[in-house]
Amino acid sequence: MELLSTGIAIAAGAFALALVVGMTVRAVRAERGQRLRAAFSPLMSSFEVHQELHTGQKGLQETVIQTIQEQSTHPSRTDRDPEGR
C-alpha cells in the first residue's frame, strides 16, 4: 500500500512539474506583454471545459461564436443601408 501511495505522489509531482515547465516555456516564447495570457490560457481553457462538463452549460467561447452567428443571420437596424433599404 505504501508503494502505491508513493507512486501516486511521484506521478502527481511529475504532472505538476510538466505543467510548470510547459507554462514557463509558453511564457518565454510569447511576445512581450502577452506572456501571462500565453502561459495561462491552456489552463484556463481546461477549467472552462471542466465547468461545461459539470454544469451542462455552454462556455464563453461557444456563447461568443453563437452570438456572432446569430448577428450575421439577423442584422441589426444599424447594419442596414444608409438609405434605408
Side-chain angles (χ1 to χ4, degrees):
M1 190 68 175
E2 184 178 319
L3 183 61
L4 179 63
S5 62
T6 303
I8 291 172
I10 290 172
F15 180 71
L17 181 64
L19 285 176
V20 170
V21 168
M23 289 171 63
T24 303
V25 168
R26 285 181 61 92
V28 168
R29 289 184 177 180
E31 295 179 16
R32 187 177 180 103
Q34 296 292 319
R35 292 193 174 148
L36 281 177
R37 181 183 300 241
F40 286 100
S41 66
L43 191 60
M44 294 297 115
S45 179
S46 67
F47 288 151
E48 184 176 4
V49 169
H50 177 74
Q51 184 178 8
E52 288 175 22
L53 292 173
H54 281 284
T55 61
Q57 297 178 350
K58 294 180 184 176
L60 178 63
Q61 184 176 6
E62 288 182 32
T63 304
V64 169
I65 290 171
Q66 182 181 4
T67 302
I68 291 171
Q69 289 173 344
E70 288 175 359
Q71 287 178 351
S72 66
T73 59
H74 304 305
S76 69
R77 292 181 294 155
T78 59
D79 292 337
R80 291 190 184 137
D81 195 17
E83 296 176 12
R85 294 184 210 168

